[in-house]
Amino acid sequence: MTLYHGSNIAVKTPRLLKIQRSLDFGRGFYTTSDFEQAKKWAQRTTRIREDGTPTVSCYELSGEALESLSILRFEKADAAWLEYVSKNRKDRNAHDNFDMVIGPVANDQAFPTILLYLDGYIDAESAVRQLLPQKLKDQYTFKTEKALAFLRFIEEKSV
């Protein structure tokens, strides 16, 4: 399986960095199977950091990884996904014992709905109902060194 990571630099050796903001699946190295999503991440990161060149790093994920790692997988934006994302968005030090988490990205269109849920203006059922029509891209988050060991850098593409 090919996965992509968008940044302002090529990332040949992925690492688990200290997070400086709250992310959907908490601390980890974020990738996607969608090249266009990675391209958007690269352009956004470069714009925010005002440095570097929008770059998509391409990786191959070993098939045995999905069999030998502890993986939490969300097939769609449902109540369980919403609770997990909300927990991580509220507390950037939230911790779990998964090697990888796979599921939809809370993109720019989804985030206002999540904020309404976090602030108590809508319940989980209403939030999920609003999120379902959106075509949310996927993200594969590597949360441990064990998981990262299955990721092999292939190439970089300036975008």
Side-chain angles (χ1 to χ4, degrees):
M1 167 187 292
T2 303
L3 294 174
Y4 307 98
H5 174 80
S7 189
N8 63 324
I9 59 170
V11 180
K12 295 180 181 181
T13 306
R15 296 178 305 169
L16 298 173
L17 303 175
K18 182 179 179 192
I19 62 171
Q20 298 170 357
R21 58 184 165 67
S22 300
L23 302 170
D24 291 354
F25 295 161
R27 180 177 183 256
F29 183 73
Y30 282 71
T31 63
T32 180
S33 66
D34 185 270
F35 182 83
E36 290 302 315
Q37 177 69 30
K39 181 178 171 180
K40 288 178 187 174
W41 287 343
Q43 292 167 340
R44 181 174 186 262
T45 300
T46 304
R47 186 177 64 252
I48 290 170
R49 294 185 179 164
E50 298 178 340
D51 187 34
T53 302
T55 304
V56 173
S57 299
C58 309
Y59 307 91
E60 186 67 33
L61 176 62
S62 163
E64 68 184 76
L66 301 178
E67 298 169 11
S68 62
L69 296 172
S70 172
I71 299 173
L72 176 59
R73 182 186 295 265
F74 298 101
E75 298 298 330
K76 61 183 179 181
D78 58 13
W81 172 85
L82 180 63
E83 285 299 319
Y84 189 79
V85 169
S86 297
K87 177 185 78 167
N88 286 297
R89 290 280 180 163
K90 278 192 235 177
D91 178 6
R92 71 172 162 205
N93 295 314
H95 181 72
D96 56 53
N97 293 316
F98 295 104
D99 295 311
M100 283 182 73
V101 179
I102 303 168
V105 175
N107 64 17
D108 292 341
Q109 289 82 28
F111 200 61
T113 300
I114 291 171
L115 286 176
L116 289 171
Y117 170 74
L118 286 173
D119 292 341
Y121 292 108
I122 59 174
D123 61 16
E125 184 179 328
S126 298
V128 169
R129 196 170 39 252
Q130 288 181 32
L131 292 169
L132 286 178
Q134 298 183 30
K135 301 212 182 306
L136 302 177
K137 303 297 184 184
D138 65 22
Q139 56 190 343
Y140 288 70
T141 305
F142 294 77
K143 298 179 68 74
T144 64
E145 296 295 335
K146 178 182 175 183
L148 281 177
F150 288 97
L151 203 56
R152 185 179 63 81
F153 177 80
I154 300 170
E155 66 178 326
E156 65 187 76
K157 296 181 180 186
S158 293
V159 294

